Amino acid sequence: MPNVFPRRFPFRLPVHLSVLTALLLSPVALAQTEGTPVGGLLPLVSVGEKWIQDVESYTIVVSPQDAGKPLGLELYSPTFNLADYVDGRRAAGYFGDELYKKNEPFDTTFTLVGPGGTVAERRYGQNREHTWDSLFAGGLGAGTYTLRVNSRGDGKNSYALRVASPFALETSDFTVNARSNTPEPLLAARLNVLPDWVGKTVSILNYDIDGPKEAETFVIQPGNKRADLTPSDNGKTAVDRFTITPEMVGEWQIFIRVLPTTKQYSNSVRYSFRLGDQPVTARVGGFNPPAGAKVDNQLLVDVVDPQGQPIPGASYALVGTSGVRPQLPPGYVPVSSSIVQGTGNIISPTEVRYQPGFTKIRFVARPPEGQLAVDAVALYGDQRIPLTGVPFEVAGRTLNTPATVPLSPGDYPVKPTPIPGSTFTPPLPGRVADGTAGKVTIEYRVLTDVTLITAPDILNACDVTQLTASARTDFPYRLPGRLALNLPTGWTSDYPLELSGEFSGGQPLRLKVPVRVCRSDTAEAVLNPIGLRTTGAARVRNPGGANVTRTVQSGARGSLNKSVEAAAQNYQVTLVLTVDSTLENVRLIDPLPTGGSQPAVRGPLQLQGPSLANVQPRVDGDAILLSRVIPGTYTLTYTLFSDLPADRVVTAPDLGW
């Protein structure tokens, strides 16, 4: 007790009037010391004025695995009981409240604060009974929380605290109230000495016991070993230091016992714990409310979803002395609020005001709900062709377009699947908001090419050749197309010069037209709707030949001209390749003629091209492979051995890469 508040009395009350142990006895605290029974828990105390510690503070650590579990923070006797000790007397059931100036106000404020600010705060005034109160029963997010207790007025307010398992109240500096009507040793705190403290110094400080005739204080160490502590003098601090050995590792119990020689009804004593010169915390608090103790205020709050299930991570906050609001995880939408038991007013789905007493409130909220629609289109000319069955990934799931995925609000990347014969740019993440549907469209840009083959391409004047226009792609979905031939002057045909249809991977669209050629010139093939164009030439002369020009959507263009000249006993074949881009794996399709008494044979290849090119032609069936070419013109010649007549040795070439 502070030395400025001495209260003396000439005799001790009978033991049967001491009811404090019945109020606070906790089986958890029971122990034995040298045959003397030890039990009970000390009340904590907040002194209003002239005390070394103005605000009493206790920490509560909520680990991630315990987040959301009910805290169950309850107070016993948080109000100041005017019947406890006033005007130099004390009543039965004395708990330690003392007012030193009659008719002056006295109140105590309990404030629970955490990482997000104030969780609960309540101010308690004066009454004439010991009650217990539920300060905060809900769950909390992970973090460290502090309960601050501050009294105003000339006196002191004794109280007890407890929290639900697995939580604990811890502090390094705190005040307890030892009373003369509880002569048994009472537990003040539990200090956990850790293995890595071995070799270090633990200090236990006590302040203002008022000398060795008032009380004794001691520690029970592991192995039931007792170590007496030095009782401090009036207004002074005593320090006991321990060098930690392996045998000391474990829980230390700190007790205080009021002696028969005391001259005070109660004695406020401050304890402090240090490791070296740094504060370390010990466990304090705990109580069992006595049977029939009045519940001044107990508040139970449920925060559930529409199915009645508790919302993980949800809690509530107190507003003033009679308001409560839910604290919802991010994105949750309030639905309703109700008073299940007790009285009060429903202000909104997020606020209820209640009357003190036993009150149960329920808040209902729903999780955020949204959708993300994903579809795919083929960009083909100016057309956007919907694609079905294209796989994509979103939020760890693989689905096929088109699909609508229920998701909580947020941004979701969509991962497309590559499609042969096309390219795509990864789309921007889809944004989902509560109650709305976001949309992502995967755009595949189709790659197509068009070729025009003139066979034969060297012929006598006004002879007939065949023009073959082909639209091709590796894209597996069917594409609409319209092939058209544009003939120059001197070229005529009695057949349609247009063909509409569909083409896809492995199924080209072909237009074959016989054309009478009366002069050397060039025809054009056009693929619509994309406007892709290529040309094919024919030359009026004898002997024969053929050519092909290939243009692809990426812009690369190549042409292949084939001419066949008769030699003494065979034929001389010349292939002239012209390209405007560096190309890989160019294939010159040059089928050998069939028929005759002996199969046709291709002689050794001779190649001339740009000086910087390093091309080694290789024959693969009907194809001549060029591994890599640079822009320019390449002339490849070989001797064709065949007994076929000249009008049957010319075959149509083709070109690819």
Side-chain angles (χ1 to χ4, degrees):
M1 162 177 186
N3 61 345
V4 295
F5 303 147
R7 291 295 183 267
R8 306 185 182 278
F9 57 99
F11 61 93
R12 292 182 57 81
L13 292 177
V15 174
H16 69 272
L17 294 180
S18 176
V19 297
L20 179 63
T21 302
L23 292 175
L24 295 180
L25 184 62
S26 171
V28 180
L30 295 178
Q32 291 289 324
T33 306
E34 297 179 353
T36 303
V38 177
L41 291 164
L42 280 166
L44 303 164
V45 67
S46 173
V47 180
E49 297 178 2
K50 302 174 185 177
W51 187 240
I52 190 173
Q53 187 164 325
D54 181 46
V55 178
E56 302 290 324
S57 296
Y58 313 92
T59 60
I60 303 169
V61 177
V62 179
S63 63
Q65 61 265 31
D66 294 331
K69 293 182 180 179
L71 180 64
L73 175 57
E74 296 179 338
L75 322 175
Y76 180 71
S77 189
T79 53
F80 185 91
N81 186 352
L82 290 169
D84 220 18
Y85 179 92
V86 183
D87 298 331
R89 61 179 177 82
R90 64 179 181 179
Y94 174 69
F95 194 52
D97 295 347
E98 295 190 2
L99 185 64
Y100 303 122
K101 291 182 181 178
K102 187 177 180 180
N103 298 326
E104 285 197 4
F106 188 96
D107 61 62
T108 303
T109 301
F110 291 77
T111 306
L112 179 64
V113 298
T118 299
V119 177
E121 184 174 83
R122 193 170 297 161
R123 179 177 296 174
Y124 295 90
Q126 300 172 339
N127 65 2
R128 290 188 174 273
E129 55 191 341
H130 295 299
T131 61
W132 64 283
D133 192 6
S134 172
L135 182 63
F136 189 85
L140 295 172
T144 299
Y145 296 79
T146 302
L147 177 65
R148 300 191 181 107
V149 185
N150 187 25
S151 295
R152 298 186 304 172
D154 196 358
K156 60 182 180 181
N157 182 12
S158 294
Y159 55 89
L161 305 172
R162 71 175 176 185
V163 288
S165 178
F167 305 108
L169 292 152
E170 297 183 339
T171 183
S172 61
D173 301 85
F174 65 104
T175 307
V176 296
N177 201 35
R179 295 127 313 150
S180 61
N181 60 338
T182 52
E184 304 89 352
L186 296 182
L187 181 65
R190 299 172 182 268
L191 176 66
N192 188 24
V193 175
L194 302 176
D196 58 1
W197 293 8
V198 172
K200 300 179 181 179
T201 299
V202 168
S203 300
I204 301 178
L205 296 76
N206 67 81
Y207 170 78
D208 201 36
I209 286 181
D210 293 342
K213 292 186 178 182
E214 290 294 326
E216 66 173 358
T217 179
F218 55 91
V219 177
I220 301 298
Q221 297 174 346
N224 205 27
K225 295 181 180 179
R226 170 170 171 158
D228 290 327
L229 301 176
T230 305
S232 55
D233 290 331
N234 185 9
K236 295 184 179 180
T237 299
V239 183
D240 292 279
R241 296 180 175 85
F242 301 86
T243 300
I244 303 303
T245 63
E247 293 76 16
M248 296 179 178
V249 172
E251 183 181 85
W252 292 19
Q253 298 180 354
I254 294 87
F255 291 91
I256 187 169
R257 183 173 77 91
V258 178
L259 298 175
T261 53
T262 183
K263 300 296 179 64
Q264 304 179 77
Y265 285 138
S266 67
N267 191 353
S268 295
V269 177
R270 179 177 184 260
Y271 282 98
S272 301
F273 303 102
R274 300 289 184 270
L275 177 63
D277 57 356
Q278 297 299 314
V280 289
T281 59
R283 288 193 173 198
V284 298
F287 70 93
N288 291 328
K294 180 181 177 181
V295 179
D296 188 54
N297 185 40
Q298 188 172 35
L299 175 66
L300 301 177
V301 179
D302 292 333
V303 185
V304 298
D305 61 23
Q307 288 72 43
Q309 298 300 314
I311 296 175
S315 184
Y316 67 91
L318 301 177
V319 183
T321 58
S322 62
V324 60
R325 293 176 180 169
Q327 291 185 324
L328 302 172
Y332 268 76
V333 180
V335 175
S336 64
S337 61
S338 60
I339 300 175
V340 180
Q341 190 170 347
T343 58
N345 297 316
I346 297 174
I347 307 302
S348 70
T350 58
E351 184 173 354
V352 172
R353 294 178 185 170
Y354 64 97
Q355 298 296 324
F358 182 81
T359 306
K360 187 172 183 179
I361 295 172
R362 175 170 295 161
F363 292 102
V364 179
R366 64 172 176 81
E369 298 174 341
Q371 294 179 330
L372 182 63
V374 181
D375 61 5
V377 297
L379 301 183
Y380 177 64
D382 57 358
Q383 299 185 27
R384 297 174 64 88
I385 303 173
L387 301 177
T388 61
V390 179
F392 67 92
E393 292 183 18
V394 63
R397 300 171 59 187
T398 300
L399 303 167
N400 294 328
T401 62
T404 299
V405 190
L407 294 168
S408 58
D411 291 340
Y412 293 89
V414 174
K415 182 180 179 182
T417 297
I419 298 178
S422 68
T423 62
F424 67 85
T425 300
L428 294 176
R431 175 157 294 181
V432 177
D434 181 63
T436 63
K439 185 175 182 180
V440 171
T441 298
I442 306 171
E443 296 180 338
Y444 291 91
R445 189 168 299 277
V446 179
L447 303 177
T448 60
D449 64 68
V450 61
T451 61
L452 178 58
I453 297 176
T454 306
D457 70 334
I458 302 175
L459 62 164
N460 295 326
C462 295
D463 277 355
V464 175
T465 187
Q466 180 168 275
L467 301 186
T468 303
S470 299
R472 295 183 291 191
T473 183
D474 292 329
F475 198 65
Y477 294 85
R478 300 178 71 85
L479 300 172
R482 186 175 72 254
L483 277 173
L485 288 175
N486 296 324
L487 302 181
T489 302
W491 294 30
T492 59
S493 177
D494 295 331
Y495 290 81
L497 299 180
E498 280 194 9
L499 174 67
S500 296
E502 294 180 330
F503 64 106
S504 61
Q507 294 182 339
L509 178 65
R510 286 195 176 95
L511 172 61
K512 295 183 178 181
V513 178
V515 175
R516 187 176 301 278
V517 178
C518 294
R519 59 185 293 246
S520 298
D521 211 330
T522 301
E524 181 183 59
V526 182
L527 173 62
N528 286 315
I530 61 175
L532 192 61
R533 300 169 182 268
T534 192
T535 58
R539 183 159 55 95
V540 176
R541 76 175 187 83
N542 194 25
N547 65 41
V548 60
T549 300
R550 179 181 178 90
T551 303
V552 297
Q553 195 169 346
S554 61
R557 183 180 177 93
S559 64
L560 177 64
N561 176 274
K562 176 181 178 180
S563 62
V564 180
E565 300 281 349
Q569 295 180 348
N570 47 55
Y571 298 93
Q572 188 72 21
V573 179
T574 302
L575 299 173
V576 179
L577 170 67
T578 302
V579 296
D580 62 359
S581 301
T582 299
L583 302 174
E584 308 285 344
N585 298 320
V586 177
R587 298 174 63 89
L588 310 182
I589 311 300
D590 181 35
L592 293 175
T594 58
S597 61
Q598 296 293 329
V601 176
R602 181 184 285 115
L605 302 177
Q606 303 293 326
L607 178 66
Q608 292 181 343
S611 60
L612 296 179
N614 183 15
V615 181
Q616 296 296 327
R618 179 169 59 88
V619 176
D620 181 14
D622 285 338
I624 299 172
L625 303 182
L626 306 180
S627 59
R628 184 173 185 271
V629 298
I630 63 176
T633 299
Y634 299 80
T635 302
L636 188 147
T637 59
Y638 66 87
T639 299
L640 175 64
F641 299 93
S642 175
D643 59 359
L644 289 171
D647 60 344
R648 294 179 57 190
V649 297
V650 178
T651 59
D654 200 357
L655 176 63
W657 60 84

